[in-house]
Amino acid sequence: MLRFPLWALSLSVAALQWACAAAQAPGTPLQSACRELPTLEECRAAARVITDECLRECIVLQCGGAKINCGADVKKECALRKGTGVTALGYVWRPPDAGCQNPVSEVNWCEEPSSRECRAQALVHELAHACGWKHRQGLGVPGNDGDLRCE
């Protein structure tokens, strides 16, 4: 049986905690078990480019309040979309009455690897849909034409 002094164990645990903290992105993780998400701060920072005040405020609130799904049904839909040649990072099922005063509370997330900036832009794009925005409406939403070009 190997024996280490207590101080050596304490140093090892401290080093492990530091390494784990360093591997995580700085900021507040979103409340979801899904992977490949931006932090709360990254989402809110990416929303600053939205020019419509109601839409921007809705997105900022949704950054911390929307439920983000990535279960089996979401994975199937993501795979179907990928089969069309488009790699979706997320999508939203939006009823006709959704708007910045009446947003959809759920976003579906595909968990595709991408840069931190791209993830934040993609989530803002999907949250804009959740807040009633449609493609080609402008207002500063990333990927206005539905094609978010980032890696």
Side-chain angles (χ1 to χ4, degrees), residues 1-119:
M1 182 164 111
L2 294 174
R3 291 187 172 225
F4 294 99
L6 187 55
W7 64 267
L9 181 59
S10 296
L11 285 176
S12 297
V13 170
L16 184 59
Q17 288 172 337
W18 178 82
C20 288
Q24 296 175 355
T28 309
L30 298 180
Q31 296 297 312
S32 174
C34 300
R35 298 179 328 249
E36 304 294 336
L37 284 167
T39 64
L40 176 62
E41 293 82 4
E42 289 169 332
C43 181
R44 288 180 175 166
R48 287 187 196 129
V49 300
I50 306 301
T51 58
D52 180 80
E53 185 177 352
C54 185
L55 181 61
R56 182 178 57 251
E57 288 177 9
C58 178
I59 292 168
V60 166
L61 286 172
Q62 291 289 79
C63 281
K67 179 180 178 192
I68 302 175
N69 302 316
C70 55
D73 291 341
V74 172
K75 287 180 186 356
K76 272 187 204 174
E77 181 66 26
C78 292
L80 287 173
R81 291 170 185 240
K82 200 171 190 177
T84 66
V86 175
T87 300
L89 294 182
Y91 62 94
V92 172
W93 298 118
R94 181 187 64 235
D97 64 338
C100 61
Q101 298 294 326
N102 183 35
V104 173
S105 62
E106 295 187 15
V107 171
N108 299 301
W109 194 250
C110 296
E111 299 184 308
E112 289 289 332
S114 60
S115 70
R116 299 212 62 81
E117 181 181 357
C118 191
R119 290 180 224 173

